[in-house]
Amino acid sequence: MAVARTTVPTAALNGFISSFNIGWGSMSAAAVLTILPTMVLFAVASRHIVQGLASGAVKG
């Protein structure tokens, strides 16, 4: 048996595709729910990310 080499969100989104139909509404909702935690984390940490990038860009 072959081992699947996909990540969990990718494997979950592939479940909405069948031979004859693609559940676009369900797939879109699942994609939004998959991306949402990353967006929230970036919104919370964006100030620190920008400070780190700016301090790393200063020479000396």
Side-chain angles (χ1 to χ4, degrees), residues 1 3 8 10 12 15 20 22 25 31-32 39 41-42 44-45 52 54-55 57-58 60:
M1 184 183 300
V3 176
V8 174
T10 305
F20 303 106
I22 298 175
V32 168
M39 292 176 63
L41 181 65
F42 179 75
V44 170
S55 66
V58 177

Side-chain angles (χ1 to χ4, degrees), residues 4-17:
R5 299 204 183 270
T6 61
T7 59
V8 174
T10 305
L13 291 177
N14 282 337
F16 294 110
I17 301 173

Side-chain angles (χ1 to χ4, degrees), residues 14-52:
N14 282 337
F16 294 110
I17 301 173
S18 69
S19 298
F20 303 106
N21 192 15
I22 298 175
W24 289 110
S26 301
M27 186 184 298
S28 298
V32 168
L33 291 177
T34 302
I35 294 170
L36 197 62
T38 304
M39 292 176 63
V40 169
L41 181 65
F42 179 75
V44 170
S46 64
R47 181 172 45 111
H48 299 290
I49 293 170
V50 170
Q51 283 179 346

